[in-house]
Amino acid sequence: MQITKMRENIHQLSVNVEHILFEGLWEMPRGVSIHSYVVKGRETALIDGVCGWDGVPESLFAMLDEMKIELKDIRYLVLNHLEPDHSGWLEPLFKLHRDFTVVCSEKGAALLDAFFDSDVPVRVVKDDDEIDLGDGVKLTFKMIPNVHWPDAMVTYEPESKTLFSCDAFGSFGKLEGSPFDGDYSDDALAAYEGETVRYYSNIIGAFSPFVLKALKKLEPLDIVTVAPAHGMVWSSHPETILEAYRRYANASKEPSGRKIVLLWGSMYGNTERAVKVAESVLKSSGMPYSAYNVMETSWGTILADLWMASGVILAMPTYEYKMFPPMAAVLEEIGKKKAQGKLAYRFGSYGWSGGAQRELDDLMDRLNMNWTFIEPFEFKGRPNESDLERIRRDTESLIRGVDERLTKADNPDE
Ligand code: FEO
């Protein structure tokens, strides 16, 4: 756990969490940090909480102790979002202390009732409501529903121009040392971006239209510091994370990065023979690519890499008249996360009948994925030389198609 002084009257309280699955589902190879913020005027507000794993809420209480803040000193408890990674500490808190006002959105108040047996004073806030902490320190609010849950809001402190954004503009990746972007080299920040894309695609991606709405709504604010509840605090270049989120949200629907992701699965090595040919074409073309065996790779890793890719190859056999099941499972999740608008190619082996393609077409329709496919190719049993030559040509065609789409996206009037 770590306490960071951001200004004389604003402190970040932080814990790192590792070796858990976020939401019980998403792996985090580099962990995640969870932050709470203390803002002081004449009165004190605590914004969001750190909790749930790793000995918290004891960690939060220990940090408050270290700052010589007693629970009775906290006048306002601002809950930007009620998901238990930020709110799971409320129950023990309510047992210790109840003499404060919870500040949250209307939907947050309903969730507070649903999750906790609480009987604490609640102040429901709306857009631009203001709480005066005294000594020139104020808190104002903007509702940003569905970034990530319907209750989500941000808190803005006008004197310091700090945006406490909770899940919005957050990242995976535990922080050791400074939480400020200005203390990291360009190379370190570039490496860290992978954790931001992983967080965005795994946790926020399905809500991309709401992210764009939130960015629009926040435009009038003069934001000097973006202080999310997960990951880096952006005080040197706050525009970096705001623009990154715009890019990631747009990537939900439009061609994004020059990259192809090859997802494959194989029962007896027949589809795998063809995968090797497709991969050798990708390798020699210079097109950036990743290849993942869907049996061996987590959904989170696949989704993170696919999010900013413009092209996808799906290589899988028919299995009992349907798609190879692990491929069907990951595609279902990719569709639900709204990774849409890719240029794609599918090939694979079948034995006594096809069927994978029909299920794939149905899935694409049902989840409105809006992927454009070049002509799929299925071969019976083991691929022969002619089959492999066809896959070679099709992969080259996909590569050309990705480049043409990106050129068109860059020059929409041509
Ligand atoms: Fe960090 Fe949606 O919780």
Side-chain angles (χ1 to χ4, degrees), residues 22-23 81 83 85-86 148-149 166-167 199 203 229-230:
F22 201 86
E23 295 177 331
H81 168 34
E83 190 167 4
D85 54 327
H86 310 287
H148 157 228
W149 280 10
C166 201
D167 276 2
Y199 171 87
I203 308 301
H230 301 293

Side-chain angles (χ1 to χ4, degrees), residues 80-245:
N80 282 319
H81 168 34
L82 268 288
E83 190 167 4
D85 54 327
H86 310 287
S87 67
W89 62 295
L90 290 175
E91 191 112 28
L93 174 69
F94 290 159
K95 284 182 185 144
L96 294 171
H97 184 66
R98 305 172 80 83
D99 190 16
F100 46 68
T101 299
V102 167
V103 179
C104 62
S105 67
E106 190 174 357
K107 290 202 164 126
L111 286 168
L112 190 68
D113 279 346
F115 277 108
F116 305 102
D117 182 19
S118 63
D119 182 22
V120 291
V122 175
R123 174 165 170 186
V124 169
V125 289
K126 300 185 295 304
D127 282 339
D128 303 320
D129 281 359
E130 185 179 288
I131 289 177
D132 192 343
L133 297 180
D135 291 340
V137 181
K138 294 174 181 169
L139 301 178
T140 66
F141 308 92
K142 294 270 189 200
M143 306 301 114
I144 56 162
N146 299 317
V147 189
H148 157 228
W149 280 10
D151 61 315
M153 65 179 200
V154 294
T155 301
Y156 177 71
E157 200 290 297
E159 200 262 333
S160 63
K161 301 180 173 35
T162 302
L163 184 76
F164 300 99
S165 58
C166 201
D167 276 2
F169 317 124
S171 306
F172 282 154
K174 65 179 179 179
L175 290 175
E176 291 168 311
S178 170
F180 299 112
D181 63 320
D183 290 334
Y184 291 83
S185 67
D186 288 348
D187 284 349
L189 288 175
Y192 184 75
E193 192 183 6
E195 290 299 305
T196 311
V197 175
R198 180 182 281 272
Y199 171 87
Y200 185 91
S201 60
N202 289 195
I203 308 301
I204 306 290
F207 307 101
S208 290
F210 297 95
V211 170
L212 293 173
K213 277 186 196 165
L215 284 164
K216 182 94 191 141
K217 192 171 199 176
L218 298 177
E219 267 171 17
L221 296 181
D222 182 7
I223 298 170
V224 166
T225 299
V226 177
H230 301 293
M232 196 78 75
V233 172
W234 301 86
S235 53
S236 290
H237 294 286
E239 71 284 0
T240 299
I241 193 66
L242 299 175
E243 284 313 307
Y245 262 59

